[in-house]
Amino acid sequence: MENLITLWQSSGVAQMASGQFIMLLVGLGLLFLAIRKNFEPLLLVPIGFGGILANIPGADLALSAAETALAQGNTAVLAQMAQLLGLDSGAGLDALKKALGSAPVAVQVQAAEFARDAGFNNGMLYNFYSVAIASGVAPLVIFMGVGAMTDFGPLLANPRTLFLGAAAQFGIFATVLGAVGLSVAGVMDFSIADAAAIGIIGGADGPTAIYVSSLLAPDLLGAIAVAAYSYMALVPMIQPPIMRALTTEQERKIEMVQLRHVSKREKITFPLLLLILVALFLPAAAPLLGMFCFGNLMRECGVVSRLSDTAQNALINITTIFLGLSVGSKLAADKFLDPKTLGILALGIVAFAIGTATGVLMAKLINVFSKHKINPLIGSAGVSAVPMAARVSNKVGLESNPHNFLLMHAMGPNVAGVIGSAVAAGVMISMVRSLTGA
Amino acid sequence: MENLITLWQSSGVAQMASGQFIMLLVGLGLLFLAIRKNFEPLLLVPIGFGGILANIPGADLALSAAETALAQGNTAVLAQMAQLLGLDSGAGLDALKKALGSAPVAVQVQAAEFARDAGFNNGMLYNFYSVAIASGVAPLVIFMGVGAMTDFGPLLANPRTLFLGAAAQFGIFATVLGAVGLSVAGVMDFSIADAAAIGIIGGADGPTAIYVSSLLAPDLLGAIAVAAYSYMALVPMIQPPIMRALTTEQERKIEMVQLRHVSKREKITFPLLLLILVALFLPAAAPLLGMFCFGNLMRECGVVSRLSDTAQNALINITTIFLGLSVGSKLAADKFLDPKTLGILALGIVAFAIGTATGVLMAKLINVFSKHKINPLIGSAGVSAVPMAARVSNKVGLESNPHNFLLMHAMGPNVAGVIGSAVAAGVMISMVRSLTGA
Amino acid sequence: MENLITLWQSSGVAQMASGQFIMLLVGLGLLFLAIRKNFEPLLLVPIGFGGILANIPGADLALSAAETALAQGNTAVLAQMAQLLGLDSGAGLDALKKALGSAPVAVQVQAAEFARDAGFNNGMLYNFYSVAIASGVAPLVIFMGVGAMTDFGPLLANPRTLFLGAAAQFGIFATVLGAVGLSVAGVMDFSIADAAAIGIIGGADGPTAIYVSSLLAPDLLGAIAVAAYSYMALVPMIQPPIMRALTTEQERKIEMVQLRHVSKREKITFPLLLLILVALFLPAAAPLLGMFCFGNLMRECGVVSRLSDTAQNALINITTIFLGLSVGSKLAADKFLDPKTLGILALGIVAFAIGTATGVLMAKLINVFSKHKINPLIGSAGVSAVPMAARVSNKVGLESNPHNFLLMHAMGPNVAGVIGSAVAAGVMISMVRSLTGA
Amino acid sequence: MQETLLQQGLDITLFGMGIVFTFLLLLVIGTSIMSRIITRHFPEVEPASHSPSHKVGNDSARLHAVIKAAIEQHRQRR
Amino acid sequence: MQETLLQQGLDITLFGMGIVFTFLLLLVIGTSIMSRIITRHFPEVEPASHSPSHKVGNDSARLHAVIKAAIEQHRQRR
Amino acid sequence: MQETLLQQGLDITLFGMGIVFTFLLLLVIGTSIMSRIITRHFPEVEPASHSPSHKVGNDSARLHAVIKAAIEQHRQRR
Ligand code: NA
Ligand code: NA
Ligand code: NA
């Protein structure tokens, strides 16, 4: 009988907090968006599923061994944990969790050893997160794969479009200011690191957003990743009104000069040129842009096609599965159901909107100074969100001029946006570290 | 000259204990069964080969750095190890090994650091085992791949067959009782955790067996995995006599109603339904069934076919290679050549037989209450052993009625058996932990 | 303004030491050789690229967290590090680095924990190196893949060619003597472990060279790997003059007996026979030859073609990417720009030349004793460098006799050379360890 | 007091089988309800799902048919 | 004294946008120079690069054409 | 006393080459015996092994032949 009671108490229904129930619904909602509405399914299916797994009460899949010991341990275990963490034995659970999170690494190692001796293990998703994201490897490997899938031809044929990719990153920094403003106004409580991580949503680039937030604000990673991928899927809805509002019918009809042929040698040299510029001027962006250039060089050099194929297929797919589940581990109720998440979702869409606007405006500015006019509709593609944003440019362009195919022209700013947000990521990581004295 | 003597002493022939020689033959025997007799070759080829590697004398491929230091260290190393482990410096090798195995994690870490300073490294197979099995990841990834390969259509068309998958799990629990009985009778010395791990052989599901025994009885993992895969390969020999003995010719001739068409939406919803039930009622089964449902959702949702393909191919193949070699590391002579192994092999076949019988009997019981009769031959498929057991049902059915194709009907209980044994695994892990006070 | 100065100081240009600039050019040079000259591109593209990444000033991608703390830390951090390492707080940077490198593992762990508390992380390439090479796994997995790609048919049809593969390994040992000689003469400063690692270049087998040097001389790994792969690419230039000098026109015209058909069963048995001989007589070679035989058994046994395919494709490609980048991490200027590198490059080409010569001479020696004459040109293929060396034998043979196709005959010694150098690797690892008292 | 080993084994067996059956019973009920709801309220619009693999199968089948026809033509010609 | 949060945000924005633009400006310049050098001094010998994927595409296209032809023949025959 | 570096190098060379030769000699002997036993006592039943890859090769070859034939027909028709 006692056994039955224990079992019932260990069952999910009895333990489920309302937060976990809400997150279960959120996870199902993400799966619905991914499967029915085709919202970036490659990421949102694993993220949504991981989010559900992370919120199974009593399974503790997203907790480390030490956190599990706090969640499930008896009085003796808690007392010993308190002693390890330098608290008195009557300390509450929340105090213990907080102390564990902010303890020096050596103490965390001791706590983990103690928890393992007491029979607790790391949760499955916690292990995935440690290996895939905390180490930084998964976003970097995905970036390598993206590099191996990227054709810089349209960019090389028209290098001016790099400026569009630069301008659209203003969405990032405006959002940083917005987040800081909310904090100063007392509405939210974002640190400067939080603000920088939130801003990167405006980069419209999933792996970059995950990489930056894993370094600067791991607790916000779940909300940031969900916002980034959701808004990327919403690009066809977010961008067109802004694009139409900022351009005249005449501008939208501009036909652009046919792109010149770009030689194989230019395509091989470009990633090396980019790498060297990064090496000389922006070492903080070296991991992201280094792996990106490596992937692209493997693609273009033509002598390692086996490696390039693997980077574009088996390797990126395997990494995506574990990256998604790992992001899902950050959808645990106690981290995700926080007023900050609402702030992140609100700021994220602002970031997309501003990036779209500044991209379009920059195209109009360039037109003031140059002979070969740019159709400002391709400016919005500078936010990246490859290749969705470029398709949106094409579609809106066709509405005004059914014979005006902007797709290839928009691919230039589109991939420029990837570079731009990686550069912005490097700058922000480097500046936040020097500001916070790390 | 001295060098030559040292070299000869380091050679295998001089060091080989009789146990290692026997295990070498066991490894070759497993390879023979796998290659010539087609006994689950995908697993038994790596397991058999890993078993041979683990028993190469002097190579110590299956030992940790600290264990290697004990095996190869000079007097000074052993004395320091003894001091670390709190024994006096004259302690024998066996006492040192035992103390190392049962030392607190912190002491084990210190021993490993000391061994590395003394120039010893972890063996190759030890590293594989740590990463693939001790972390739990390999069986879970294989389970995800199995989920991505599973079609729940036949089960959804006839959900009653889930009861067959439930009944066949009685083989698991009967074996637990059997193992406990052998201990109580003084024939063997199994703890309750050992008994639970042995019972899971009756689940006829390789990754589940490996997952459970890695948690509850790592020392028995080699024997349990070998038993599980060998008996799965022997299903065509073990099951038919039992099936014939428990059914009448009339029953074996029963033709079943054509399965209805199952819609895509049902197939997408099923893994989510299963996941939610697990979340609500059986958190202990969340890792196994969660990954299984995730694999199946990727398969059915239709929007992440790249991920589903990778989960079914590159990822599961890579994982299988390392899982197999890692299991092989547990075929080291000192662990495998133990009376317990004989007990495990004997209990394992009993488990299969009982599971087969209870599956068939449950089908007959269902027929008492229902209009649409079930051919009891499909009950034996409830042990899982996908798809072998379903094929056996089909084959035995054809003997009695050459026009009666039971294969698709048997796939229902077959995949139900996978769910059933994962549920049983969750229950046992959770109960053993609460019983042993972990 | 202060910010701008900080940023400029953190930029690469301001920090770049001349060594790093030179290594940037070396990296670009390797990429040029790989892409334009087709020098083993599968390895040299990742190695060259990794070499560039490792030398980006300020990015510290090849440093551990503790090393990064030394490189970037302020006075307080350095003082604490000095205390941890048992130096006085005024110790110079070089003294700190050296103390960290030679500290006991426990102290290194403490230093890493302190560095992480101070906000420093392991560099990306450092992580890759730890997981892929320091653990030994990447070279072993590649060796498994090579095994799965190797057809032992020509060797089994003519087992005498194993002697050619043995003789060509004299290049390895002659180079060991050469390195020792340079040290004794005071030209270089190689330890016996260094000499052994350099010698293995003569094995003309990339993964073996990387595996051995990761164990015996990690600091020289970059130079050794670059030398090994570069000279393998140069085999068509290095070998022919030596082959012509040591053979008469008459000998080069020898036509060899048609190879007999080798049965499937022989091919399945061979890797097992090799494994058993390794187990009995050469446990030190067990990791390398064990994985090689495992790959070959998967290939030949015919029942695990999914695993064999994966070992030959996705798995070996993924491993190659990370192996290459990890090797690149050892091209950091402070390690690579050392007089030792010049010594290694000089000794490496000598190793190839001597191995070629002894292979050819052994073929001539065998001809003295046997009826079926061997064309001595296939002796040079004994250095391995599969399949380049065999093609060279064929090409030089065609010059003397346009109807004499030696390719298949040369494949025998070619794969024998792989076995031979793995055996030599095992012997050297084992002997160096016993000589240096580890 | 610690239960005896036998008692523990019986406990695991009883509760284990009980939970396996209960859980799968819930799953049968859930599945039946789910199937009924989907079949009634969310029927598929398309008559049959043309999954990509099916399509490949069809293409491949068509290809085979075409090639077979080509072979036959070729033979008749001779 | 620690800067205020607002000041820090402004710093990041100003320097961030500045560096993004400066870096991409350098990249535009570098790319233009690179393209000019390659186009003038290292032009490609082959008129158009036949990448493997192109080749596959062509093969496949040819195969389709052939099969289409075969189908037409087959139909006309009946 | 520690051997000199030169002595160590000579040791490695002598014993190393010795063991490489001895081991490969054993392998030659083992391989020869193994081949003889298999050839005499366990000959293959099938005349030649039809590995899957071979089969694919044949299929593909046949496909090419068929298509070639189809192309020729097509050309002759015009
Ligand atoms: Na962007
Ligand atoms: Na089962
Ligand atoms: Na070699």
Side-chain angles (χ1 to χ4, degrees):
Chain A
M1 196 57 217
E2 213 183 304
N3 272 300
L4 263 185
I5 293 169
T6 315
L7 245 143
W8 168 248
Q9 284 170 343
S10 88
S11 88
V13 179
Q15 288 186 46
M16 184 168 280
S18 60
Q20 291 173 317
F21 185 72
I22 294 173
M23 287 313 298
L24 233 148
L25 297 181
V26 169
L28 289 174
L30 288 175
L31 290 176
F32 177 80
L33 291 175
I35 296 173
R36 282 299 299 275
K37 302 292 176 195
N38 229 32
F39 267 40
E40 297 279 333
L42 289 175
L43 267 296
L44 285 187
V45 166
I47 290 177
F49 205 96
I52 296 176
L53 290 178
N55 286 287
I56 296 181
D60 294 335
L61 296 180
L63 300 187
S64 71
E67 289 165 334
T68 309
L70 292 183
Q72 301 186 353
N74 55 26
T75 332
V77 167
L78 291 181
Q80 191 131 9
M81 272 293 199
Q83 198 195 326
L84 259 173
L85 296 167
L87 301 179
D88 60 79
S89 61
L93 204 54
D94 285 341
L96 283 169
K97 278 184 194 170
K98 220 180 136 200
L100 180 65
S102 60
V105 174
V107 173
Q108 293 188 2
V109 168
Q110 274 184 293
E113 287 171 354
F114 165 69
R116 281 175 58 199
D117 282 333
F120 299 102
N121 292 310
N122 290 335
M124 177 182 80
L125 294 177
Y126 178 87
N127 280 337
F128 289 174
Y129 183 86
S130 305
V131 172
I133 298 188
S135 71
V137 72
L140 294 173
V141 167
I142 290 192
F143 227 58
M144 176 175 72
V146 171
M149 291 174 182
T150 298
D151 177 8
F152 279 118
L155 179 72
L156 289 168
N158 193 2
R160 284 181 308 168
T161 55
L162 277 164
F163 290 121
L164 304 178
Q169 307 317 316
F170 187 67
I172 292 178
F173 296 103
T175 311
V176 174
L177 279 185
V180 162
L182 287 180
S183 280
V184 170
V187 183
M188 293 277 160
D189 178 29
F190 293 127
S191 69
I192 188 68
D194 291 349
I198 296 168
I200 205 71
I201 298 173
D205 189 274
T208 303
I210 291 170
Y211 184 77
V212 170
S213 45
S214 75
L215 287 172
L216 299 183
D219 278 357
L220 306 183
L221 190 147
I224 289 174
V226 166
Y229 284 106
S230 302
Y231 293 145
M232 279 161 68
L234 285 173
V235 150
M237 266 163 280
I238 299 172
Q239 289 197 324
I242 301 166
M243 293 157 74
R244 290 195 201 100
L246 293 176
T247 51
T248 65
E249 179 72 15
Q250 217 49 42
E251 288 171 331
R252 291 199 289 276
K253 281 188 173 156
I254 294 177
E255 291 192 18
M256 292 179 65
V257 182
Q258 170 82 30
L259 290 175
R260 73 171 176 88
H261 169 76
V262 174
S263 74
K264 200 77 195 151
R265 285 184 183 169
E266 288 172 84
K267 289 187 179 176
I268 295 176
T269 314
F270 181 74
L272 292 172
L273 174 72
L274 177 51
L275 175 70
I276 290 167
L277 288 177
V278 167
L280 294 181
F281 302 109
L282 209 66
L288 274 174
L289 282 174
M291 289 303 273
F292 186 68
C293 291
F294 179 52
N296 194 248
L297 181 67
M298 287 199 291
R299 170 200 179 84
E300 299 296 355
C301 74
V303 289
V304 294
S305 50
R306 328 177 27 133
L307 302 186
S308 170
D309 286 350
T310 297
Q312 292 177 51
N313 292 292
L315 184 51
I316 200 172
N317 292 344
I318 292 172
T319 311
T320 302
I321 289 173
F322 291 106
L323 180 83
L325 291 173
S326 303
V327 169
S329 79
K330 291 290 179 185
L331 299 192
D334 58 338
K335 272 162 197 150
F336 195 84
L337 291 181
D338 189 291
K340 285 184 178 181
T341 295
L342 290 179
I344 289 168
L345 290 173
L347 288 165
I349 199 160
V350 172
F352 267 67
I354 294 180
T356 303
T358 50
V360 172
L361 293 174
M362 172 55 84
K364 296 176 71 164
L365 181 67
I366 291 178
N367 280 348
V368 174
F369 297 105
S370 53
K371 201 175 61 183
H372 296 296
K373 297 299 177 200
I374 291 175
N375 187 317
L377 291 177
I378 72 169
S380 62
V383 296
S384 38
V386 185
M388 193 74 89
R391 285 193 203 141
V392 168
S393 298
N394 190 54
K395 189 157 163 279
V396 178
L398 287 175
E399 290 169 8
S400 298
N401 176 350
H403 302 294
N404 195 8
F405 292 94
L406 294 172
L407 188 64
M408 287 316 288
H409 297 284
M411 288 310 296
N414 213 191
V415 297
V418 177
I419 299 174
S421 47
V423 170
V427 175
M428 291 209 299
I429 291 169
S430 158
M431 288 193 70
V432 168
R433 280 192 173 157
S434 83
L435 286 171
T436 57
Chain B
M1 196 56 218
E2 211 182 307
N3 271 299
L4 264 185
I5 292 168
T6 316
L7 245 142
W8 168 250
Q9 284 170 343
S10 88
S11 86
V13 178
Q15 288 186 48
M16 183 167 281
S18 60
Q20 292 173 317
F21 184 74
I22 294 172
M23 287 313 298
L24 233 147
L25 296 181
V26 169
L28 289 174
L30 288 175
L31 290 175
F32 176 81
L33 291 176
I35 297 173
R36 283 297 299 277
K37 302 292 177 192
N38 230 33
F39 267 40
E40 297 280 332
L42 290 174
L43 266 296
L44 285 187
V45 166
I47 290 177
F49 205 95
I52 297 176
L53 290 178
N55 285 286
I56 296 181
D60 295 335
L61 297 179
L63 300 187
S64 71
E67 290 166 333
T68 310
L70 292 184
Q72 300 186 353
N74 55 25
T75 331
V77 167
L78 291 182
Q80 191 130 11
M81 272 294 197
Q83 198 195 327
L84 260 172
L85 296 167
L87 300 179
D88 60 79
S89 61
L93 203 56
D94 284 342
L96 284 169
K97 279 184 192 170
K98 219 180 136 200
L100 180 66
S102 59
V105 175
V107 173
Q108 293 187 2
V109 168
Q110 274 184 294
E113 288 172 354
F114 165 68
R116 282 175 58 199
D117 283 334
F120 299 101
N121 291 311
N122 290 336
M124 177 183 81
L125 294 178
Y126 178 87
N127 280 337
F128 290 174
Y129 183 86
S130 306
V131 173
I133 298 190
S135 71
V137 72
L140 293 173
V141 168
I142 290 193
F143 226 57
M144 176 174 73
V146 170
M149 291 174 182
T150 298
D151 177 8
F152 279 117
L155 179 71
L156 289 168
N158 192 2
R160 283 182 308 168
T161 55
L162 277 165
F163 290 122
L164 305 178
Q169 309 314 317
F170 187 66
I172 294 178
F173 297 104
T175 310
V176 174
L177 279 186
V180 163
L182 286 181
S183 281
V184 170
V187 184
M188 294 276 160
D189 179 28
F190 295 127
S191 69
I192 189 68
D194 292 349
I198 295 168
I200 205 72
I201 298 174
D205 190 274
T208 303
I210 292 170
Y211 184 76
V212 170
S213 46
S214 76
L215 287 172
L216 299 183
D219 279 357
L220 306 183
L221 190 146
I224 289 173
V226 166
Y229 284 107
S230 302
Y231 294 143
M232 280 162 68
L234 285 174
V235 149
M237 265 163 281
I238 297 172
Q239 291 197 323
I242 301 166
M243 293 157 74
R244 290 195 202 103
L246 294 176
T247 51
T248 65
E249 179 71 18
Q250 217 50 40
E251 287 171 331
R252 292 199 289 275
K253 281 187 173 157
I254 295 177
E255 292 191 19
M256 292 178 67
V257 182
Q258 170 83 30
L259 291 175
R260 74 173 176 87
H261 171 75
V262 174
S263 73
K264 200 79 195 150
R265 285 184 183 168
E266 288 173 84
K267 289 188 180 176
I268 296 177
T269 314
F270 181 74
L272 293 171
L273 174 71
L274 177 52
L275 175 71
I276 289 168
L277 287 177
V278 167
L280 294 182
F281 302 109
L282 208 66
L288 274 174
L289 282 174
M291 290 303 273
F292 186 68
C293 291
F294 179 52
N296 192 249
L297 181 67
M298 288 200 290
R299 169 200 180 85
E300 299 295 355
C301 74
V303 290
V304 294
S305 50
R306 315 176 43 125
L307 302 186
S308 170
D309 286 350
T310 298
Q312 292 177 50
N313 292 291
L315 183 51
I316 199 173
N317 291 344
I318 292 172
T319 310
T320 301
I321 289 173
F322 290 107
L323 180 83
L325 291 174
S326 302
V327 169
S329 80
K330 292 288 180 186
L331 298 192
D334 57 337
K335 271 161 197 150
F336 195 84
L337 292 181
D338 190 290
K340 286 185 178 180
T341 297
L342 289 180
I344 290 168
L345 290 174
L347 289 165
I349 198 161
V350 172
F352 267 68
I354 294 181
T356 303
T358 49
V360 172
L361 293 174
M362 172 56 84
K364 295 176 71 165
L365 181 66
I366 292 178
N367 280 350
V368 174
F369 299 105
S370 53
K371 201 174 61 184
H372 294 297
K373 297 300 176 199
I374 291 175
N375 187 318
L377 292 177
I378 73 170
S380 62
V383 297
S384 35
V386 185
M388 193 75 90
R391 285 193 203 141
V392 168
S393 298
N394 190 53
K395 189 157 162 277
V396 178
L398 288 176
E399 290 170 7
S400 298
N401 177 350
H403 303 295
N404 195 10
F405 292 93
L406 294 172
L407 188 65
M408 288 316 288
H409 297 285
M411 288 309 296
N414 214 192
V415 298
V418 177
I419 299 173
S421 47
V423 170
V427 175
M428 290 208 299
I429 291 169
S430 157
M431 287 194 70
V432 168
R433 279 190 175 159
S434 83
L435 285 171
T436 58
Chain C
M1 197 54 218
E2 211 182 308
N3 270 301
L4 263 186
I5 292 169
T6 315
L7 243 142
W8 168 248
Q9 285 170 342
S10 88
S11 88
V13 178
Q15 288 186 48
M16 184 166 282
S18 60
Q20 292 173 317
F21 185 73
I22 294 172
M23 286 313 298
L24 232 148
L25 296 181
V26 169
L28 289 173
L30 287 175
L31 290 176
F32 177 80
L33 291 176
I35 296 172
R36 282 297 301 275
K37 302 292 176 194
N38 229 33
F39 267 40
E40 297 280 332
L42 290 175
L43 266 296
L44 285 186
V45 166
I47 290 176
F49 205 95
I52 297 175
L53 290 178
N55 286 287
I56 296 180
D60 295 335
L61 296 180
L63 300 187
S64 71
E67 290 166 332
T68 309
L70 292 183
Q72 300 186 352
N74 55 26
T75 332
V77 167
L78 291 182
Q80 191 131 9
M81 271 294 199
Q83 198 196 325
L84 259 172
L85 296 167
L87 302 178
D88 62 77
S89 62
L93 202 56
D94 285 340
L96 283 169
K97 277 184 195 170
K98 219 181 135 200
L100 180 66
S102 59
V105 175
V107 173
Q108 292 187 0
V109 169
Q110 274 184 294
E113 288 172 354
F114 165 69
R116 282 174 57 198
D117 283 333
F120 299 101
N121 292 311
N122 290 336
M124 177 182 80
L125 294 178
Y126 178 86
N127 280 338
F128 290 174
Y129 182 86
S130 306
V131 172
I133 297 189
S135 72
V137 71
L140 293 174
V141 168
I142 291 192
F143 226 58
M144 176 175 71
V146 171
M149 291 174 182
T150 298
D151 178 7
F152 279 117
L155 178 72
L156 288 169
N158 192 2
R160 284 181 308 167
T161 55
L162 277 164
F163 289 121
L164 305 178
Q169 308 315 318
F170 187 67
I172 293 178
F173 296 104
T175 311
V176 174
L177 279 186
V180 163
L182 286 180
S183 280
V184 171
V187 184
M188 294 276 158
D189 179 30
F190 293 127
S191 69
I192 187 69
D194 292 350
I198 295 168
I200 205 69
I201 298 174
D205 190 273
T208 303
I210 292 170
Y211 184 77
V212 170
S213 47
S214 76
L215 287 172
L216 300 183
D219 279 357
L220 306 182
L221 190 146
I224 288 173
V226 166
Y229 283 107
S230 302
Y231 294 143
M232 278 162 68
L234 285 173
V235 150
M237 266 163 279
I238 298 172
Q239 290 197 323
I242 300 167
M243 292 157 74
R244 288 194 203 102
L246 293 176
T247 50
T248 65
E249 179 72 17
Q250 216 50 39
E251 286 171 331
R252 291 198 290 276
K253 282 187 173 157
I254 294 177
E255 292 192 19
M256 291 179 67
V257 182
Q258 169 82 30
L259 290 176
R260 74 172 175 88
H261 170 75
V262 174
S263 73
K264 200 77 195 152
R265 286 185 182 167
E266 288 172 82
K267 288 187 179 176
I268 296 176
T269 313
F270 181 74
L272 292 172
L273 174 71
L274 178 51
L275 175 70
I276 289 168
L277 287 177
V278 167
L280 295 181
F281 301 108
L282 208 66
L288 275 174
L289 282 175
M291 290 302 273
F292 187 67
C293 291
F294 179 52
N296 193 248
L297 181 67
M298 288 199 291
R299 170 200 180 86
E300 300 295 355
C301 74
V303 290
V304 294
S305 51
R306 321 177 34 131
L307 303 186
S308 171
D309 286 351
T310 298
Q312 292 177 50
N313 292 292
L315 183 51
I316 201 172
N317 291 344
I318 292 172
T319 310
T320 301
I321 289 173
F322 291 107
L323 180 83
L325 291 173
S326 303
V327 169
S329 79
K330 292 288 179 185
L331 298 192
D334 57 339
K335 272 163 197 150
F336 194 85
L337 292 180
D338 189 291
K340 285 184 179 180
T341 296
L342 291 179
I344 289 168
L345 291 173
L347 288 165
I349 198 160
V350 171
F352 268 67
I354 293 181
T356 303
T358 48
V360 172
L361 292 175
M362 172 55 86
K364 295 176 71 165
L365 181 66
I366 290 178
N367 280 348
V368 174
F369 297 105
S370 53
K371 202 175 59 183
H372 295 297
K373 298 298 177 200
I374 292 174
N375 187 316
L377 292 177
I378 72 171
S380 62
V383 298
S384 37
V386 185
M388 192 76 89
R391 285 193 203 139
V392 169
S393 298
N394 190 53
K395 189 154 162 282
V396 177
L398 288 176
E399 290 170 6
S400 298
N401 176 351
H403 302 296
N404 195 9
F405 292 94
L406 294 172
L407 188 63
M408 288 315 289
H409 296 285
M411 288 310 296
N414 214 191
V415 297
V418 177
I419 298 174
S421 48
V423 170
V427 175
M428 291 208 299
I429 292 169
S430 157
M431 288 193 72
V432 168
R433 280 191 173 158
S434 81
L435 287 170
T436 58
Chain D
M1 205 198 78
Q2 180 81 4
E3 290 179 297
T4 66
L5 184 65
L6 194 63
Q7 186 60 44
Q8 291 181 336
L10 283 170
D11 276 11
I12 286 190
T13 303
L14 286 180
F15 292 113
M17 269 322 275
I19 287 165
V20 168
F21 261 104
T22 315
F23 188 85
L24 294 197
L25 174 64
L26 285 172
L27 191 56
V28 170
I29 297 171
T31 306
S32 304
I33 297 174
M34 180 267 283
S35 284
R36 202 163 307 161
I37 293 175
I38 288 182
T39 315
R40 288 202 195 157
H41 302 290
F42 305 96
E44 276 173 347
V45 181
E46 323 130 282
S49 67
H50 284 289
S51 76
S53 63
H54 259 89
K55 228 170 161 177
V56 167
N58 288 348
D59 271 358
S60 163
R62 206 177 301 151
L63 180 62
H64 273 235
V66 167
I67 286 166
K68 217 174 161 184
I71 294 174
E72 277 168 21
Q73 281 183 297
H74 193 65
R75 283 186 183 151
Q76 291 174 346
R77 187 75 50 97
R78 290 191 210 166
Chain E
M1 203 198 80
Q2 181 83 3
E3 290 180 297
T4 66
L5 185 64
L6 195 62
Q7 185 60 43
Q8 290 181 337
L10 283 169
D11 275 12
I12 285 189
T13 303
L14 287 180
F15 292 112
M17 267 323 273
I19 286 165
V20 168
F21 261 105
T22 315
F23 187 86
L24 292 197
L25 174 62
L26 285 171
L27 191 56
V28 171
I29 296 171
T31 306
S32 305
I33 296 173
M34 180 267 285
S35 286
R36 202 162 306 160
I37 293 175
I38 288 181
T39 316
R40 287 204 194 154
H41 302 290
F42 306 96
E44 274 173 349
V45 182
E46 322 131 285
S49 67
H50 284 289
S51 77
S53 63
H54 259 87
K55 226 171 164 178
V56 166
N58 288 349
D59 271 359
S60 163
R62 206 178 301 152
L63 180 62
H64 273 237
V66 167
I67 286 166
K68 220 175 160 183
I71 295 174
E72 277 168 22
Q73 281 184 295
H74 193 66
R75 284 185 184 150
Q76 290 174 349
R77 187 75 49 98
R78 290 191 213 168
Chain F
M1 203 198 80
Q2 180 81 7
E3 291 179 296
T4 66
L5 185 64
L6 194 62
Q7 185 60 43
Q8 292 181 335
L10 284 170
D11 276 10
I12 286 189
T13 304
L14 286 180
F15 292 111
M17 269 321 274
I19 286 164
V20 168
F21 261 105
T22 314
F23 188 85
L24 293 196
L25 175 64
L26 284 172
L27 192 56
V28 170
I29 296 171
T31 306
S32 305
I33 295 174
M34 179 267 283
S35 285
R36 201 162 308 162
I37 293 175
I38 289 182
T39 315
R40 288 203 194 157
H41 302 290
F42 305 95
E44 275 172 347
V45 181
E46 322 131 284
S49 66
H50 283 289
S51 77
S53 62
H54 258 90
K55 226 169 163 179
V56 167
N58 289 347
D59 271 358
S60 164
R62 205 177 302 150
L63 180 62
H64 275 236
V66 167
I67 287 167
K68 219 176 163 185
I71 295 174
E72 277 168 21
Q73 279 183 298
H74 193 67
R75 283 185 183 150
Q76 291 173 346
R77 187 75 49 97
R78 291 191 211 164

